[in-house]
Amino acid sequence: MSTDSSDLFGALFETPPATRTVPVLVPLPAPRPYSYAVPEGMAVEPGSVVQVPLGPRQVIGVVWDGGEDGVDPKKLRPISHVFDCPPLNKEMRDFIDWVSAYTLSPPGLVARMALRAPNAFEPEPMVEGLRFIGGEPERMTPARARVLERASDGVSWTRTGLAHAAGVSTSVVDGLISQGIFETIFLPPPPVVAKPDPDFAASRLAGPQKDAAEDILGEVRNGAFAVSLIDGVTGSGKTEVYFEAIAETLRRGKQVLILLPEIALTASFLERFQDRFGAKPAEWHSDLAPRIREKVWRQAVTGEVRVVAGARSALFLPFEDLGLIIVDEEHDPAYKQEDRVYYNARDMAVVRARIGDFPIVLVSATPSVESQVNGQSGRYTTIHLPTRFGDAALPDLHLVDMRRHAPERGGFLSPVLIRAIGKTIEKKEQALLFLNRRGYAPLTLCRVCGHRFQCPQCSSWLVEHRFRSQLQCHQCGYTERTPEACPECGTLDHLVACGPGVERIAEEVERHFPDARTIVLSSDITGGVKRLRLELDAITKGEADIVIGTQLVAKGHNFPLMTLVGIVDADLGLANGDPRAAERTFQLLSQVTGRAGRTGLKSHGLLQTYQPQHPVMQAIVSGDAGAFYEREITERERAILPPFGRLASIIVSAETRQDAESHARGIRSSAPQVSGISVLGPAEAPLAIVRGRHRFRLLVHGRRNSDMQAFLKTMLAQAPKERGSVQVQLDIDPQSFL
């Protein structure tokens, strides 16, 4: 709420005497709600969204559970205003409390994620409309006749809506209004999306897909908490299967939330949903216009929106009557938030379903190790879809040993892959080249003096983006123009790019196939999400021959003519100390190769590698995912790593290395002696400096039944207080180890 609005409220509402007190949770990093007085005549209840004074400001908060605290209302500041919107229900308040307790985050910051659309807290204004009241105009024209024909059924219209429906300009409607043919009325604001019809299109499922849908429908009809894991190969019809669960939930009068890792890019998913239900779901992600976000928030809390498809933040929408959650691509790292409140949306979605006592469906072609173990132990019901939908076959996958089939000097594509690309475009089919590295090259150096271009604020190299003539840091966003001379020795034309990015692969492709239509897909493409959607649509329509992309191309896209997938550097994800490196590489490469042959055309996948005997490579080309997961699960269990153990990461940062290290050592020395929990570090983080701040990391490791939260609360309570520039970030169940 802006300051002007706050002043307006202060002027409009005189404060009557207070009669009682209530706790109010404000969206700030406070450890508990604050007490406020309730003015006489004001009606509030737990969950009411209110405006309260906090210092010199007016802030938005939520009346919380707990009742009166015994403080004299006269000694407390009163609530300024109660917003006219439904209160956050008990289910949502319990969820906020649970997330706060589990992540050890202030409850106000968690509640803030549920209050992301402040202008939606008051009802939307009514819309001026028209209603036909009879009579004829002084002069009848064909255009006026069409308007009267449209309006004569008694339905109310907006002025522009009636003009559009009749195929006339608004001036024609204005002329009829001036002659008294219509009366002005006020209509409720239109819904942000039409209501989906569960019976709009009949199910096309058969065989294993139909059996899988029946299994999930049983859980939906039961209506109680249950977790189902759909484990199906790419193109096996997983989306169509969970669409049936959505349809049954809608028939039961409940709302549905669909979580997607990259909702802003999945226009094809929205179209598939519309084909099945006759209307698109409401979207929720950071690229929505503020006005649309407000409408979605308001209509979700009032129940007008029945289905929301959104990114991880959609989990905190306060639905009126949520009855099903779908987590598509449940393995995707994008579900992990690493800012302010650190949480994994997949895990928190399971918690929200448990609190609300309704079913949840997790979906993936390459489930996480955690979900696999939960399926094996019986916590989740696993539904396998081992074959593709219809007649489509999985691509034939082969390893290209780069030691035997080396690229030409200065190149990165093997002769084997180049020949395969040529044959593919000769057949008027599409080839996809995947490299999970943005830009032109990850490092630029001077051949004369050896100077390397490094970010002045981070301990990372600057990545060359030749399309934009820039060097950029992918940690903090720092950019500088690509120089012609070395800034260290001044030598001209001796800067060399080391290693490939997607832009460099595009340059090599153009050299080999100058007549091919090539598209480069990367998250830093100019034009943002709108441009990416247009590019993806062009690929789907066959308007490209060769697609070169980062992990964006792995996320659920369906390219009908894609018959060749080439992995430029299959070893890339294995070259770090992340304990999930093998799992993530297997998942990403499996998802990428799964883009090929989804419509029945014979397809191939070629993986360029210097480690053809690596278990990940062998598992992918053999199609034996079970053997890979068995090995990975055994290694996790032996090392007591998740899901057989627990981890928490503490990152201490400061403007100087000494302050960061000193505070990290102070936290380490405050650790209580608890059996089954150990503290590793502190040590410099792999990214030792980010945005000018030095970083040290501690890793807390415990057994599965360890009370990690109690241990961390005790350690941090006994640790030195944060002073000066020191900041401490706590991450329960970390996904990143940088």
Side-chain angles (χ1 to χ4, degrees):
M1 185 63 62
S2 68
T3 304
D4 292 343
S5 299
S6 303
D7 295 342
L8 178 63
F9 280 127
L12 290 178
F13 298 99
E14 296 292 335
T15 305
T19 58
R20 62 188 179 101
T21 66
V22 292
V24 175
L25 195 60
V26 295
L28 297 171
R32 63 186 64 86
Y34 295 139
S35 294
Y36 283 89
V38 180
E40 186 176 358
M42 179 180 286
V44 297
E45 60 180 296
S48 294
V49 182
V50 297
Q51 181 172 281
V52 295
L54 186 67
R57 298 181 296 153
Q58 293 281 333
V59 300
I60 292 168
V62 184
V63 177
W64 217 243
D65 303 276
E68 299 196 29
D69 56 10
V71 178
D72 185 353
K74 296 178 182 178
K75 297 180 179 180
L76 297 174
R77 301 178 76 179
I79 294 173
S80 306
H81 178 64
V82 182
F83 290 97
D84 184 11
C85 72
L88 304 191
N89 58 30
K90 184 69 164 61
E91 175 187 316
M92 189 66 193
R93 301 196 304 276
D94 287 348
F95 177 61
I96 290 171
D97 281 337
W98 199 98
V99 173
S100 170
Y102 185 84
T103 62
L104 297 182
S105 304
L109 289 186
V110 182
R112 181 175 179 267
M113 295 190 291
L115 302 173
R116 284 285 177 88
N119 290 332
F121 301 152
E122 296 285 12
E124 293 183 71
M126 300 289 278
V127 177
E128 187 174 298
L130 304 172
R131 184 165 58 203
F132 178 62
I133 57 175
E136 289 193 6
E138 297 172 357
R139 183 173 61 86
M140 183 65 74
T141 65
R144 287 178 170 180
R146 290 199 300 274
V147 171
L148 295 178
E149 182 181 0
R150 277 285 181 179
S152 61
D153 57 3
V155 175
S156 299
W157 294 83
T158 63
R159 172 174 163 271
T160 54
L162 180 56
H164 179 75
V168 302
S169 67
T170 53
S171 61
V172 176
V173 178
D174 291 338
L176 294 171
I177 295 173
S178 65
Q179 295 185 40
I181 305 296
F182 292 96
E183 67 174 349
T184 300
I185 59 171
F186 287 92
L187 305 171
V192 67
V193 289
K195 285 191 176 182
D197 178 2
D199 301 308
F200 178 79
S203 169
R204 300 184 296 109
L205 299 180
Q209 289 79 15
K210 187 173 183 180
D211 294 339
E214 286 299 326
D215 289 341
I216 295 177
L217 286 175
E219 303 288 6
V220 172
R221 288 165 183 148
N222 186 38
F225 171 67
V227 185
S228 300
L229 171 64
I230 303 179
D231 176 3
V233 298
T234 55
S236 60
K238 299 183 295 294
T239 303
E240 283 71 18
V241 168
Y242 72 66
F243 275 178
E244 297 313 301
I246 293 171
E248 184 61 25
T249 304
L250 292 173
R251 293 186 192 103
R252 296 167 61 85
K254 302 281 188 176
Q255 291 170 291
V256 179
L257 169 62
I258 308 168
L259 292 180
L260 298 162
E262 294 285 353
I263 177 62
L265 304 179
T266 49
S268 60
F269 170 82
L270 302 177
E271 291 167 3
R272 289 170 69 184
F273 188 96
Q274 186 173 27
D275 290 342
R276 172 62 180 84
F277 296 99
K280 290 184 179 180
E283 295 181 57
W284 182 269
H285 52 80
S286 58
D287 287 301
L288 280 184
R291 181 64 180 144
I292 300 298
R293 286 174 65 86
E294 292 156 12
K295 289 175 73 71
V296 173
W297 192 97
R298 178 80 189 189
Q299 294 179 19
V301 76
T302 59
E304 293 173 78
V305 162
R306 307 310 297 167
V307 181
V308 173
R312 60 176 181 254
S313 59
L315 187 59
F316 291 89
L317 279 172
F319 291 91
E320 180 195 46
D321 191 12
L322 189 58
L324 176 69
I325 297 178
I326 307 290
V327 184
D328 206 346
E329 309 289 4
E330 64 88 29
H331 67 278
D332 199 293
Y335 284 124
K336 178 72 178 189
Q337 173 163 300
E338 296 176 333
D339 179 41
R340 289 179 175 262
V341 179
Y342 286 61
Y343 70 93
N344 189 313
R346 176 200 64 206
D347 298 341
M348 296 303 104
V350 174
V351 172
R352 182 157 190 192
R354 179 174 60 79
I355 290 174
D357 195 26
F358 55 77
I360 177 171
V361 179
L362 310 181
V363 186
S364 178
T366 53
S368 63
V369 168
E370 288 84 352
S371 294
Q372 289 278 16
V373 171
N374 282 328
Q376 292 174 6
S377 66
R379 293 187 185 91
Y380 297 173
T381 300
T382 303
I383 299 168
H384 293 283
L385 291 172
T387 59
R388 282 189 159 180
F389 186 69
D391 298 324
L394 289 166
D396 294 327
L397 303 180
H398 302 279
L399 298 178
V400 178
D401 188 340
M402 298 295 279
R403 298 168 300 181
R404 296 175 54 198
H405 305 283
E408 64 181 32
R409 184 176 178 83
F412 300 93
L413 303 179
S414 68
V416 176
L417 182 53
I418 291 172
R419 285 195 298 271
I421 296 171
K423 291 178 181 178
T424 300
I425 60 180
E426 281 177 12
K427 294 186 292 183
K428 307 298 183 183
E429 295 170 356
Q430 292 173 325
L432 167 64
L433 298 182
F434 171 78
L435 177 63
N436 201 22
R437 186 181 274 156
R438 292 178 286 157
Y440 184 84
L443 171 64
T444 301
L445 56 79
C446 175
R447 279 185 291 203
V448 175
C449 70
H451 173 75
R452 300 184 176 195
F453 287 83
Q454 183 171 349
C455 177
Q457 304 176 132
C458 304
S459 53
S460 60
W461 307 121
L462 293 178
V463 176
E464 181 181 359
H465 288 257
R466 190 160 291 187
F467 290 177
R468 301 200 302 261
S469 300
Q470 284 184 340
L471 298 173
Q472 181 179 1
C473 174
H474 286 175
Q475 303 303 321
C476 70
Y478 168 84
T479 61
E480 61 181 57
R481 297 288 296 175
T482 304
E484 295 180 359
C486 172
E488 190 72 22
C489 67
T491 307
L492 283 167
D493 300 327
H494 275 71
L495 300 180
V496 59
C498 300
V502 287
E503 293 178 9
R504 193 169 193 176
I505 299 303
E507 185 178 86
E508 185 174 354
V509 165
E510 186 174 352
R511 192 165 63 246
H512 288 289
F513 306 101
D515 297 326
R517 299 169 298 173
T518 302
I519 286 180
V520 177
L521 288 181
S522 176
S523 59
D524 51 15
I525 190 173
T526 55
V529 169
K530 186 175 181 180
R531 165 84 179 276
L532 279 169
R533 283 187 167 181
L534 290 173
E535 300 279 35
L536 290 168
D537 188 51
I539 297 167
T540 302
K541 293 176 180 177
E543 297 172 0
D545 301 312
I546 303 172
V547 181
I548 303 163
T550 62
Q551 63 181 352
L552 286 177
V553 300
K555 304 197 178 200
H557 308 298
N558 186 16
F559 303 132
L561 295 177
M562 190 75 68
T563 59
L564 173 68
V565 171
I567 309 297
V568 176
D569 187 353
D571 306 324
L572 184 60
L574 300 173
N576 61 58
D578 189 333
R580 292 188 176 88
E583 176 193 4
R584 285 186 175 164
T585 301
F586 173 78
Q587 290 166 339
L588 185 56
L589 298 186
S590 297
Q591 294 281 341
V592 173
T593 53
R595 296 310 104 204
R598 295 169 69 93
T599 55
L601 296 173
K602 185 172 179 56
S603 59
H604 305 273
L606 297 175
L607 290 79
Q608 297 189 155
T609 176
Y610 289 92
Q611 306 177 69
Q613 299 307 315
H614 194 287
V616 170
M617 304 305 158
Q618 292 298 313
I620 291 173
V621 296
S622 68
D624 192 356
F628 171 78
Y629 279 114
E630 183 179 352
R631 176 182 174 276
E632 194 72 11
I633 289 170
T634 300
E635 290 189 2
R636 295 271 189 99
E637 188 170 18
R638 185 183 299 122
I640 320 178
L641 289 173
F644 303 100
R646 302 195 61 197
L647 293 175
S649 173
I650 302 173
I651 295 287
V652 180
S653 65
E655 292 176 358
T656 68
R657 186 182 188 279
Q658 180 181 354
D659 286 349
E661 182 177 13
S662 174
H663 194 86
R665 293 191 180 281
I667 293 176
R668 173 68 182 85
S669 64
S670 303
Q673 297 298 315
V674 176
S675 175
I677 298 181
S678 58
V679 181
L680 308 175
E684 269 194 319
L687 282 173
I689 306 173
V690 175
R691 294 182 176 88
R693 298 183 62 83
H694 296 259
R695 305 165 78 242
F696 276 76
R697 187 182 69 176
L698 299 101
L699 193 64
V700 183
H701 177 238
R703 296 188 177 276
R704 187 172 191 166
N705 59 354
S706 302
D707 191 344
M708 184 69 75
Q709 279 76 6
F711 177 89
L712 292 168
K713 287 173 74 173
T714 301
M715 181 170 69
L716 294 175
Q718 296 174 354
K721 302 301 179 187
E722 298 174 31
R723 290 187 174 87
S725 66
V726 172
Q727 294 178 0
V728 177
Q729 295 175 334
L730 176 60
D731 184 1
I732 307 289
D733 305 329
Q735 297 288 309
S736 171
F737 292 84
L738 297 179

